[in-house]
Amino acid sequence: MPALRPRPTPPLSRLATRIGLLMCLPALLVAGSARAGASPEAIRQLLDSYAQNRQFNGVVLVARDGDVLQRVAYGQADHDWDTPNTTDTRFRVGSLTKPFTATLVMQLVQEGRLRLEGRLGDYLPDLYGDTPAADITLAQLLSHTSGLRDTPGNYDDPWWRTEARRAYAPDAFARAWIPATLDGPPGRAFRYINNGYFLLGLIIERVTGQRYEVNLAERILTPAGMGSSGLCQADARVPRLARGYETRADGQRIPARYIDPSVSYAAAGLYATVDDLYRFDRALRSDRLLGAPARKAMWTARQQGYGYGWNIESWPLAEGGRAEVMLHTGSVPGYQSVLLRSEHGQAFVVILDNDWRGELVMTMGKDLMEVLLGKPVTLAKKSLADRLVPIALAQGNPAMVAAYANLGDERRDYDTGERALNALGYRLLRLQRSAEAISVFEWNVKAHPESSNVHDSLGEAYRAAGRTADAVASYRRSLARDPGNANAAKALRELGAP
């Protein structure tokens, strides 16, 4: 259930079952077509470059102004049986379930059966009446400001390998794993909490007298025409469901670990196809699911830019001005997803992957949406992480540094931009390779000395390595370039540095 939320940067397998001949066209032609309004052919080249150079494995749908520009499947639905992904392959979508749960809640608010100011203790009195959690409101559950205690956010935590493999009824899970004790006052701060959306599913069941999956089908899936989607159930086989795999930081692919679908429920339990998710988007662009006031409330940014079930961001347009983009990611073991939508040009991108490559999927989704908003197409280059991480793990930092220095003419084939180097550094930090991470962040500082973000990242790596004085110096350089960098200011306070 935890959604992958990589550290933000400034504003901002196998090959495809078929790699189009358009890959042979000059890159200048691609960039030129994008300036005229990213043609379907140019977008296909971009997608193919991600499959060829980044080993993307999944299905993508890109649309604009009500027309599907590309719908393409790449790689394998089952690597062990050599079964290809197709455009109608189903995937678990993880936390993309949250926009659906939020839509159900807003429907019931429209009908007067729920109130955004309604209290948790009133809707679930047997679980939370007369407890510290009683005064949490539906609005706070929807916006991740409830202060509730969550299940472990790291899938490597033993909880996910033990308790999460059991089957639970929704109320039994709440009694066992959603305590009434709080980690912070309700409404005070944003903190992404899956348990809040689990409880929203239970509230939907209580107020309607029907199971969550029945509400989902009758209120959203059927009206939107989503015939290939539903809620995962441990005892129900899903035809054409891609098998989930884990792609480890060292590049090794293994079958995903098992967690029982009942643990995901209204927070992360949905499966869908790219076409069904596009149908959901089309239904949300009308009054078919929600009236205009409810949609506006759902898509109003609150703390940390999160509305009700959606991240709300302001993105620059190539022609000037800005566009509002609504998006959400999703992650459960074996699967990664991202959906981005904007009213500007009715832009829409959805990516579903069954190799659980969060960083790749989110980079790809951001790239595609920027193209729809007018950015010239730049084909994806090879991943420097795929080249260097195995060397770092097998031979250590000196060998990794030497490999980077000796790329020679191959360097032009790899993405060595600020964002790519930052992502590589954080991957190494997650692998607890602080020396290698420091080297990568130092490369980034040398290449982008005026970026506040790269100094901040280097500070984090120094701090992880216990090099406090160096960390303080890096955080100060970051703040000098961006006095509003709250992360650097917080780190300096924690390190006792003025």
Side-chain angles (χ1 to χ4, degrees), residues 190-217:
F190 175 92
R191 186 166 54 84
Y192 192 88
I193 302 172
N194 285 293
N195 276 346
Y197 273 76
F198 195 103
L199 292 181
L200 287 169
L202 190 52
I203 290 169
I204 290 166
E205 290 195 358
R206 294 284 183 93
V207 76
T208 64
Q210 293 182 307
R211 297 191 313 276
Y212 173 84
E213 57 267 33
V214 173
N215 280 284
L216 182 68

Side-chain angles (χ1 to χ4, degrees), residues 98 144-150 191-197:
K98 290 180 173 66
H144 294 297
T145 58
S146 66
L148 275 172
R149 183 163 298 170
D150 207 6
R191 186 166 54 84
Y192 192 88
I193 302 172
N194 285 293
N195 276 346
Y197 273 76

